Structure formats: structure tokens, C-alpha cells
């Protein structure tokens, strides 16, 4: 499915009046996993700035032991500090990568800002090497702009 079509569906989920924020986030994870063949794990991590840790939120994909990630550790932890998108074409080439599964070959993480503060991120793992393009980045930035409406 084209990202243009997915944008409309993401916006509809965000506006759904009968779902909680958690249900909406999970529905977005499911939509992305179902619609983009190389999005094999889609989830959210949310920041606790007092403890400088990220905490796993709704996700769709294989279970993960990484429910709490210190700022700076792994790709997600680096994004919590850099406040910038991070695209990893090949996770085996990253020194500071936290292995979730041997099936994960690449990752993209896009921070989520509310009132200029990085409150978390969307994290996507792929079983393919180097599938993420600039179009993925722009799309995921859009997804996060919609999610901001939930906070």
C-alpha cells in the first residue's frame, strides 16, 4: 500500500473517538505491520526523562526483552539523545546495536516530539537489509505528527 493511502488510515485511527490512546497506538502498529511488507516489528518507546530511560509501549511483532532501554544504549537510546532520525541499513555494522532477534537485519527510529520535547519514538525492525528510504522517514515523521494529537 502506498504511503499516501496509509497516511489517511493513520489519521482516521488517531481521530477514532471510541479508542484509548494505547488502542490507537496499537492499531497504528498493526496497520503498518500489515501494510508494509518489510515492517516486521513496529512499536513505540516512551521516554522517562527523570530516569533517562525509554519504556516499551504498544507494539506488534515478536516479543522483546528490551522493555526498558537507557538513553544512549542501542539505536533507540541514541535517538533519545540525538533527537534525530536514525536509519540503520545493516544492524550487523553497528557497534551500539542491541540485538533483539537474529532475524532483524535493519532498523529505523524516528523521534516523537510534543511541544518540542522528545517524548519517545517509533521503532521499526526489518528482516531485510537496507529496505528503508527517505520516503519511509518522511512517512514516519507524518505518523508521529499525527500521534502528537493524542498527547
Amino acid at each position: 500500500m502506498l504511503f499516501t493511502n496509509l497516511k489517511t488510515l493513520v489519521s482516521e485511527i488517531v481521530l477514532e473517538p471510541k479508542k484509548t490512546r494505547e488502542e490507537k497506538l496499537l492499531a497504528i502498529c498493526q496497520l503498518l505491520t500489515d501494510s508494509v511488507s518489510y515492517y516486521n516489528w513496529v512499536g513505540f518507546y516512551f521516554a522517562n526523562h527523570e530516569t533517562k530511560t525509554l519504556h516499551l509501549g504498544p507494539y506488534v511483532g515478536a516479543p522483546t526483552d528490551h522493555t526498558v532501554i537507557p538513553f544512549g544504549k542501542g539505536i533507540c537510546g541514541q535517538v533519545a539523545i540525538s533527537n534525530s532520525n536514525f536509519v540503520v541499513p545493516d544492524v550487523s555494522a553497528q557497534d551500539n546495536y542491541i540485538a533483539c532477534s537474529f532475524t532483524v537485519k535493519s532498523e529505523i527510529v524516528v523521534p516523537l516530539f510534543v511541544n518540542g520535547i522528545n517524548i519517545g519514538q517509533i521503532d521499526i525492525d526489518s528482516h531485510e537489509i537496507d529496505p528503508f528510504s527517505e520516503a519511509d522517514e518522511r512517512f514516519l515523521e507524518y505518523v508521529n505528527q499525527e500521534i502528537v494529537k493524542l498527547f
Side-chain angles (χ1 to χ4, degrees):
M1 182 176 284
L2 296 174
F3 288 139
T4 305
N5 297 340
L6 284 175
K7 285 180 178 181
T8 301
L9 297 174
V10 167
S11 298
E12 288 173 2
I13 291 169
V14 168
L15 294 173
E16 172 61 49
K18 295 180 182 173
K19 289 185 178 176
T20 66
R21 177 169 54 200
E22 296 291 307
E23 290 170 332
K24 291 175 184 183
L25 292 172
L26 185 60
I28 289 169
C29 292
Q30 191 67 60
L31 172 68
L32 299 186
T33 302
D34 290 346
S35 303
V36 183
S37 64
Y38 53 93
Y39 286 14
N40 302 113
W41 190 98
V42 177
F44 293 94
Y45 281 93
F46 292 98
N48 179 326
H49 289 281
E50 289 180 20
T51 61
K52 298 202 178 309
T53 52
L54 294 167
H55 297 265
L56 183 62
Y59 73 94
V60 171
T64 179
D65 293 334
H66 306 291
T67 58
V68 179
I69 300 173
F71 283 14
K73 185 169 181 174
I75 307 307
C76 290
Q78 290 176 70
V79 170
I81 292 172
S82 72
N83 296 321
S84 300
N85 298 351
F86 199 157
V87 179
V88 181
D90 182 355
V91 296
S92 68
Q94 282 293 314
D95 292 338
N96 192 8
Y97 173 69
I98 302 171
C100 295
S101 165
F102 70 92
T103 59
V104 176
K105 305 293 185 213
S106 57
E107 183 173 10
I108 184 171
V109 180
V110 177
L112 174 63
F113 295 96
V114 174
N115 298 322
I117 298 170
N118 182 346
I119 66 153
Q121 54 207 225
I122 188 168
D123 177 22
I124 299 178
D125 293 341
S126 179
H127 298 164
E128 298 178 26
I129 290 183
D130 199 17
F132 303 114
S133 68
E134 187 174 326
D136 291 280
E137 283 191 77
R138 298 298 83 80
F139 169 66
L140 295 172
E141 288 168 353
Y142 175 86
V143 170
N144 281 356
Q145 288 169 0
E146 288 296 293
I147 288 168
V148 163
K149 297 173 184 175
L150 301 175
F151 290 87

